[in-house]
Amino acid sequence: MLQVGYAQTDKKDKTLLRYDRVRQDTLGVSYEQRTYRNPYNGFLELRYALTDSSSQVYVPLFQGVPIASFQKKRNHIVVTPLEEENHRILGIQQWFPFREYKLDFSLLPQFTAKFGNYDNPVEAKINLLLNTQLYLGRGLALTTGITFPIINDLDKQSMRLRMAPTFLNKFLVFKRSNFMSISAGLFYKDQYGINVQYRFFDVNKHWSFGLEGAYTGYYRISGEYFEYQKPEYVLLLGDISYRMYKHDITLKLSGGQYLYNDRGIRFDLIRQFTNVEIGFYALKTTNGASVGFNFAVPIPPGSIVKTKHFHLRTADEFRWEYLYVKGYNIGERYRTGYQLDEKLRMYHSSYWNNQLRSNL
């Protein structure tokens, strides 16, 4: 019996190594996890690791900033937006909190493709990114890394090792259910500059809306050369979303100005499954009209090596989008690490409760 007890304790201790900054106080258990794409999985695992048989309140953090409070009551999870006073109390309180977080490295595959060439039906560029993220303060993180080229018959970019997209991101919450993301640096899809996203998102409501603005320019790292052009692209988009609770379906209508001065509208239908997200969309802009699909999936195996101060893992998700193009540069945009609406809808109460009911 003692051996079984020690084995269980050791398993729980190893489980806790996946988490950063686990704190318990009068407001509940606050914690940060970067392993699971689905934050509900982390919530369940942490409750087990802490041997929680009560209705304890849990507050997940993102970049040291609390999202909302989650509490299991019988066959229901109560999700509550945090008041501004509680937001100030929870999360990172000081600059450079390196002792509170592990040195974290993640592996992210990157895939770009063009279809339809008669001589080469699939022209592809495949890279593997070794990224790291350093938390510099409350909500402030630096993402950087190394790109390992694997295949490239899509363009003339060098196959030599190069710096991965590198940028600063500030994530913040203000006045209950108002979220903002501010990024600056070298983004994905060869764009650099500044990007600002705002979203009103209540974890218990059907409707949400957001705005995004950016000023960027072209850059390219190839071998020993760093090429860039002065910023010239203004991106300005707005959207409104409606969530259907029963099947975790989001209907989203967005529009404005995309890259390359292309203006138009886009409609998305997004379905969230337990660990996978699938979406279909249609758009009409001044450059043309088209339809497409996208998906986001977790990347196995998750944790690879984990110690008290070090964590090597696969990135929490791989996201890819395909557009059946009948035009040129239709609704083009880029990524900054995460989109605010994609991140926040993972914390909606219906998403968590639907998973809880399916496991009963």
Side-chain angles (χ1 to χ4, degrees), residues 10 52 99-101 124 129 143 183 186 193 214 218 224 227 234 242 247 254 268 284 286 300 304 316 318 322 358:
D10 183 60
D52 176 23
R99 292 185 179 181
E100 299 191 53
Y101 287 87
L129 278 59
T143 299
S183 302
L186 307 177
Y218 167 84
E224 299 177 354
E227 306 172 281
V234 175
Y242 179 80
H247 298 294
S254 58
D268 288 78
K284 175 68 173 70
T286 54
I304 299 173
D316 59 345
F318 172 74
Y322 173 77
S358 67

Short mmCIF file of all heavy atoms in Angstrom, two decimals, residues 10 52 99-101 124 129 143 183 186 193 214 218 224 227 234 242 247 254 268 284 286 300 304 316 318 322 358:
data_model
loop_
_atom_site.label_atom_id
_atom_site.label_comp_id
_atom_site.label_asym_id
_atom_site.label_seq_id
_atom_site.Cartn_x
_atom_site.Cartn_y
_atom_site.Cartn_z
N ASP A 10 4.15 10.33 -6.88
CA ASP A 10 5.15 10.63 -7.90
C ASP A 10 4.48 11.00 -9.23
O ASP A 10 4.93 11.93 -9.91
CB ASP A 10 6.05 9.40 -8.10
CG ASP A 10 7.17 9.66 -9.10
OD1 ASP A 10 7.98 10.57 -8.85
OD2 ASP A 10 7.22 8.96 -10.12
N ASP A 52 -8.42 17.36 -5.82
CA ASP A 52 -9.53 18.27 -5.54
C ASP A 52 -10.85 17.52 -5.64
O ASP A 52 -11.29 17.14 -6.72
CB ASP A 52 -9.51 19.44 -6.54
CG ASP A 52 -10.70 20.36 -6.37
OD1 ASP A 52 -11.26 20.38 -5.26
OD2 ASP A 52 -11.06 21.05 -7.33
N ARG A 99 11.83 33.23 -12.37
CA ARG A 99 11.81 32.16 -11.37
C ARG A 99 10.44 31.49 -11.27
O ARG A 99 10.34 30.37 -10.74
CB ARG A 99 12.21 32.73 -10.01
CG ARG A 99 13.67 33.17 -9.93
CD ARG A 99 14.02 33.60 -8.53
NE ARG A 99 15.43 34.01 -8.43
CZ ARG A 99 16.01 34.43 -7.30
NH1 ARG A 99 15.30 34.49 -6.18
NH2 ARG A 99 17.28 34.78 -7.31
N GLU A 100 9.43 32.14 -11.75
CA GLU A 100 8.08 31.58 -11.65
C GLU A 100 7.70 30.75 -12.87
O GLU A 100 6.66 30.08 -12.86
CB GLU A 100 7.06 32.70 -11.47
CG GLU A 100 7.28 33.54 -10.20
CD GLU A 100 6.10 34.44 -9.93
OE1 GLU A 100 4.96 33.94 -9.89
OE2 GLU A 100 6.31 35.65 -9.77
N TYR A 101 8.53 30.77 -13.91
CA TYR A 101 8.23 30.06 -15.14
C TYR A 101 9.42 29.24 -15.59
O TYR A 101 10.57 29.65 -15.42
CB TYR A 101 7.83 31.04 -16.25
CG TYR A 101 6.45 31.63 -16.05
CD1 TYR A 101 6.27 32.76 -15.27
CD2 TYR A 101 5.33 31.03 -16.63
CE1 TYR A 101 5.00 33.30 -15.07
CE2 TYR A 101 4.06 31.55 -16.43
CZ TYR A 101 3.90 32.69 -15.66
OH TYR A 101 2.65 33.20 -15.46
N ALA A 124 5.50 22.98 -52.34
CA ALA A 124 5.39 23.11 -50.88
C ALA A 124 6.65 23.68 -50.26
O ALA A 124 7.76 23.52 -50.79
CB ALA A 124 5.06 21.76 -50.26
N LEU A 129 9.99 24.85 -36.71
CA LEU A 129 10.41 25.97 -35.87
C LEU A 129 10.65 25.50 -34.45
O LEU A 129 9.80 24.78 -33.87
CB LEU A 129 9.35 27.08 -35.86
CG LEU A 129 9.33 28.07 -37.03
CD1 LEU A 129 9.12 27.36 -38.36
CD2 LEU A 129 8.25 29.12 -36.82
N THR A 143 8.54 36.28 -28.13
CA THR A 143 8.60 35.00 -28.84
C THR A 143 9.69 35.06 -29.89
O THR A 143 9.76 36.01 -30.68
CB THR A 143 7.26 34.69 -29.53
OG1 THR A 143 6.23 34.59 -28.53
CG2 THR A 143 7.33 33.37 -30.29
N SER A 183 0.98 43.56 -30.64
CA SER A 183 2.20 42.86 -31.07
C SER A 183 3.05 43.78 -31.93
O SER A 183 2.53 44.59 -32.70
CB SER A 183 1.85 41.59 -31.87
OG SER A 183 1.06 40.70 -31.12
N LEU A 186 8.70 40.92 -36.07
CA LEU A 186 8.71 40.16 -37.32
C LEU A 186 7.67 39.06 -37.22
O LEU A 186 7.82 38.13 -36.43
CB LEU A 186 10.10 39.55 -37.56
CG LEU A 186 11.30 40.51 -37.50
CD1 LEU A 186 12.60 39.74 -37.67
CD2 LEU A 186 11.18 41.60 -38.55
N GLY A 193 6.00 44.75 -38.37
CA GLY A 193 5.32 45.99 -38.04
C GLY A 193 4.62 45.89 -36.71
O GLY A 193 5.12 45.26 -35.77
N ALA A 214 -3.51 47.20 -38.16
CA ALA A 214 -2.09 46.90 -38.28
C ALA A 214 -1.46 47.79 -39.34
O ALA A 214 -2.12 48.24 -40.27
CB ALA A 214 -1.88 45.44 -38.64
N TYR A 218 6.97 44.37 -45.85
CA TYR A 218 7.53 43.08 -46.24
C TYR A 218 8.95 42.92 -45.69
O TYR A 218 9.73 43.87 -45.63
CB TYR A 218 7.57 42.98 -47.76
CG TYR A 218 8.40 41.85 -48.31
CD1 TYR A 218 7.89 40.57 -48.43
CD2 TYR A 218 9.73 42.07 -48.70
CE1 TYR A 218 8.67 39.52 -48.94
CE2 TYR A 218 10.50 41.04 -49.20
CZ TYR A 218 9.96 39.77 -49.32
OH TYR A 218 10.74 38.76 -49.82
N GLU A 224 22.32 34.75 -45.27
CA GLU A 224 22.90 35.82 -44.46
C GLU A 224 22.24 37.17 -44.72
O GLU A 224 22.65 38.18 -44.16
CB GLU A 224 24.40 35.93 -44.74
CG GLU A 224 25.18 34.66 -44.39
CD GLU A 224 26.65 34.80 -44.77
OE1 GLU A 224 27.00 35.82 -45.40
OE2 GLU A 224 27.43 33.88 -44.44
N GLU A 227 16.24 41.18 -45.98
CA GLU A 227 15.64 42.14 -46.89
C GLU A 227 14.38 42.72 -46.26
O GLU A 227 13.66 42.01 -45.54
CB GLU A 227 15.25 41.45 -48.20
CG GLU A 227 16.37 40.69 -48.89
CD GLU A 227 15.84 39.89 -50.06
OE1 GLU A 227 15.26 38.81 -49.82
OE2 GLU A 227 16.00 40.36 -51.20
N VAL A 234 -1.80 48.84 -44.66
CA VAL A 234 -2.70 49.11 -43.53
C VAL A 234 -3.79 48.05 -43.53
O VAL A 234 -4.48 47.86 -44.53
CB VAL A 234 -3.33 50.51 -43.64
CG1 VAL A 234 -4.36 50.71 -42.53
CG2 VAL A 234 -2.24 51.58 -43.57
N TYR A 242 -21.52 35.24 -33.44
CA TYR A 242 -22.63 34.68 -32.66
C TYR A 242 -22.34 33.21 -32.41
O TYR A 242 -22.01 32.45 -33.33
CB TYR A 242 -23.96 34.81 -33.42
CG TYR A 242 -25.13 34.23 -32.66
CD1 TYR A 242 -25.75 34.94 -31.65
CD2 TYR A 242 -25.61 32.95 -32.97
CE1 TYR A 242 -26.83 34.41 -30.94
CE2 TYR A 242 -26.68 32.41 -32.26
CZ TYR A 242 -27.28 33.14 -31.25
OH TYR A 242 -28.33 32.62 -30.55
N HIS A 247 -23.88 22.96 -30.18
CA HIS A 247 -22.82 22.25 -30.91
C HIS A 247 -21.52 23.05 -30.98
O HIS A 247 -20.64 22.72 -31.77
CB HIS A 247 -23.30 21.92 -32.33
CG HIS A 247 -24.49 21.01 -32.37
ND1 HIS A 247 -24.44 19.70 -31.94
CD2 HIS A 247 -25.77 21.23 -32.76
CE1 HIS A 247 -25.63 19.14 -32.09
NE2 HIS A 247 -26.46 20.04 -32.58
N SER A 254 -17.04 39.28 -40.86
CA SER A 254 -15.98 40.27 -40.72
C SER A 254 -15.78 41.00 -42.04
O SER A 254 -16.19 40.53 -43.10
CB SER A 254 -14.67 39.59 -40.28
OG SER A 254 -14.27 38.60 -41.21
N ASP A 268 -17.50 33.26 -41.78
CA ASP A 268 -16.93 32.01 -41.27
C ASP A 268 -17.98 31.22 -40.51
O ASP A 268 -18.79 31.79 -39.76
CB ASP A 268 -15.77 32.30 -40.32
CG ASP A 268 -14.53 32.80 -41.01
OD1 ASP A 268 -14.50 34.00 -41.35
OD2 ASP A 268 -13.59 32.02 -41.19
N LYS A 284 -15.58 37.80 -50.31
CA LYS A 284 -15.70 38.59 -51.54
C LYS A 284 -14.99 39.91 -51.30
O LYS A 284 -15.32 40.66 -50.39
CB LYS A 284 -17.17 38.85 -51.86
CG LYS A 284 -17.38 39.77 -53.07
CD LYS A 284 -16.93 39.09 -54.37
CE LYS A 284 -17.29 39.92 -55.60
NZ LYS A 284 -16.45 41.16 -55.69
N THR A 286 -12.33 43.16 -53.37
CA THR A 286 -12.07 43.83 -54.64
C THR A 286 -11.16 43.01 -55.54
O THR A 286 -11.15 43.20 -56.76
CB THR A 286 -11.46 45.22 -54.39
OG1 THR A 286 -10.30 45.08 -53.56
CG2 THR A 286 -12.45 46.15 -53.72
N PRO A 300 0.86 16.07 -31.30
CA PRO A 300 1.41 15.10 -30.35
C PRO A 300 2.93 15.13 -30.39
O PRO A 300 3.52 15.57 -31.38
CB PRO A 300 0.86 13.76 -30.87
CG PRO A 300 0.62 13.99 -32.33
CD PRO A 300 0.24 15.44 -32.47
N ILE A 304 7.64 16.59 -24.00
CA ILE A 304 8.71 15.68 -24.42
C ILE A 304 9.70 15.50 -23.27
O ILE A 304 9.98 14.38 -22.85
CB ILE A 304 9.42 16.22 -25.67
CG1 ILE A 304 8.42 16.35 -26.83
CG2 ILE A 304 10.58 15.30 -26.07
CD1 ILE A 304 8.99 17.03 -28.06
N ASP A 316 1.18 23.90 -28.93
CA ASP A 316 -0.15 23.46 -28.53
C ASP A 316 -1.07 23.17 -29.71
O ASP A 316 -2.02 22.39 -29.59
CB ASP A 316 -0.80 24.47 -27.59
CG ASP A 316 -0.94 25.85 -28.22
OD1 ASP A 316 -0.30 26.10 -29.26
OD2 ASP A 316 -1.70 26.68 -27.68
N PHE A 318 -1.44 23.07 -34.39
CA PHE A 318 -1.06 23.34 -35.76
C PHE A 318 -2.31 23.86 -36.46
O PHE A 318 -3.35 23.21 -36.46
CB PHE A 318 -0.54 22.08 -36.46
CG PHE A 318 -0.32 22.26 -37.94
CD1 PHE A 318 0.76 22.99 -38.41
CD2 PHE A 318 -1.20 21.71 -38.87
CE1 PHE A 318 0.98 23.16 -39.77
CE2 PHE A 318 -1.00 21.88 -40.23
CZ PHE A 318 0.10 22.61 -40.68
N TYR A 322 -6.85 26.78 -46.18
CA TYR A 322 -6.79 26.57 -47.63
C TYR A 322 -7.84 27.45 -48.29
O TYR A 322 -8.98 27.54 -47.84
CB TYR A 322 -7.04 25.10 -47.98
CG TYR A 322 -7.15 24.87 -49.48
CD1 TYR A 322 -6.01 24.84 -50.27
CD2 TYR A 322 -8.39 24.69 -50.09
CE1 TYR A 322 -6.10 24.63 -51.65
CE2 TYR A 322 -8.48 24.49 -51.46
CZ TYR A 322 -7.34 24.46 -52.23
OH TYR A 322 -7.43 24.27 -53.58
N SER A 358 -20.43 15.45 -21.98
CA SER A 358 -20.09 14.29 -22.82
C SER A 358 -19.28 13.24 -22.07
O SER A 358 -19.21 12.09 -22.50
CB SER A 358 -19.30 14.76 -24.06
OG SER A 358 -18.03 15.27 -23.68
#
